[in-house]
Amino acid sequence: MTRHTVPVTRPAARRPPVDRDGSGWHLPVALVVLSLVPVVAGSLRLLELAGGPQLLPANPRIDASPTPVVVHVLAAALYAFLGAFQFSARLRRRHPGWHRRSGRILIAAGLIVAASGTWMTLFYPDAPGGDLLWGIRLLVGSAMAASIVLGFTAIRRRRIAAHRAWMIRAYALAVSAGTQALTQPIGETLFGTSDLSTALSVGSGWIINVAVAEWVIRRPAGLRARRRRAPATSVRPL
């Protein structure tokens, strides 16, 4: 007697929900690493202002009015590090209360970053980069503050997608100093240290971050769907 095999379908194994903003902790850790260079540089400047050794080039503008720098560095470090973990969808799902509480802190910190950066642009004289970089800095500070306000307004109206998009844009602008730590030396090496080359190399850091942010926000729905697709049913003999 011949033994026959009968194909039997089994339910597909359940996958854990896909983290659309990064797999596990990979993206938050990458964002923390991106922020390390400017945060470390800012910390060294704070150390100098507190009477420690001078480890960075002298900056008479900061020495004459250090308070905005202190406020900016502390708020930016908090915004960069705490904000990085908002990109973990897993953390947001498991701890929604933490997400809301830390979000309120980030709104305040982000507005302080934008305001202090704008203040320094307006009142610190003779900054490198000339009029072009001066205008770019004003535009970036205003855009970051506007993005945070629009993101807050969106979540108050329960518009989750809009809230996510505006907060991603604000964060991308805030952590551009990490990207500029790469673009500025490259620009100075290739084109020198003129005001124009400084403005273009620093400005390119913001452009890169904004471009990446817009790609994340506008990723094709088909790409996300393929990542969520369940495996095909399996067949086994009886």
Side-chain angles (χ1 to χ4, degrees):
M1 181 176 177
T2 305
R3 184 177 181 183
H4 298 282
T5 60
V6 180
V8 177
T9 58
R10 294 190 309 176
R14 291 187 62 186
R15 286 183 177 179
V18 175
D19 187 342
R20 289 172 56 183
D21 297 319
S23 177
W25 297 104
H26 296 168
L27 182 55
V29 170
L31 292 173
V32 168
V33 171
L34 176 66
S35 305
L36 278 177
V37 172
V39 169
V40 168
S43 300
L44 293 177
R45 184 68 74 185
L46 294 185
L47 181 63
E48 292 176 6
L49 294 174
Q54 182 174 334
L55 303 174
L56 298 175
N59 191 325
R61 296 181 300 277
I62 295 176
D63 294 337
S65 181
T67 301
V69 174
V70 174
V71 171
H72 187 77
V73 169
L74 293 177
L78 175 62
Y79 189 78
F81 289 156
L82 184 59
F85 293 95
Q86 297 282 31
F87 285 84
S88 172
R90 184 181 306 172
L91 185 60
R92 295 197 306 269
R93 284 192 302 267
R94 294 181 178 179
H95 304 283
W98 174 87
H99 176 67
R100 289 191 294 269
R101 289 190 297 271
S102 60
R104 296 187 188 104
I105 295 171
L106 287 168
I107 287 172
L111 291 175
I112 291 172
V113 171
S116 58
T118 301
W119 192 98
M120 290 187 289
T121 299
L122 291 173
F123 298 108
Y124 277 179
D126 303 322
D131 291 341
L132 178 58
L133 187 54
W134 183 86
I136 293 173
R137 290 186 187 279
L138 285 183
L139 177 62
V140 168
S142 301
M144 180 180 169
S147 295
I148 293 172
V149 172
L150 289 169
F152 174 74
T153 302
I155 198 61
R156 296 286 292 179
R157 296 175 179 175
R158 307 297 182 187
R159 297 171 56 199
I160 306 300
H163 167 74
R164 174 179 176 271
W166 286 116
M167 289 308 186
I168 288 175
R169 292 181 181 115
Y171 188 84
L173 291 172
V175 300
S176 293
T179 308
Q180 290 160 355
L182 300 174
T183 60
Q184 189 170 2
I186 292 173
E188 291 179 352
T189 300
L190 295 176
F191 305 111
T193 57
S194 67
D195 280 346
L196 179 59
S197 65
T198 298
L200 294 177
S201 59
V202 172
S204 64
W206 279 306
I207 292 173
I208 290 170
N209 276 30
V210 168
V212 172
E214 290 301 322
W215 179 83
V216 171
I217 293 166
R218 303 172 188 271
R219 278 183 298 178
L223 176 61
R224 296 193 295 267
R226 285 196 297 272
R227 294 179 61 190
R228 295 194 298 267
R229 188 173 298 158
T233 56
S234 58
V235 177
R236 69 177 181 130
L238 288 179

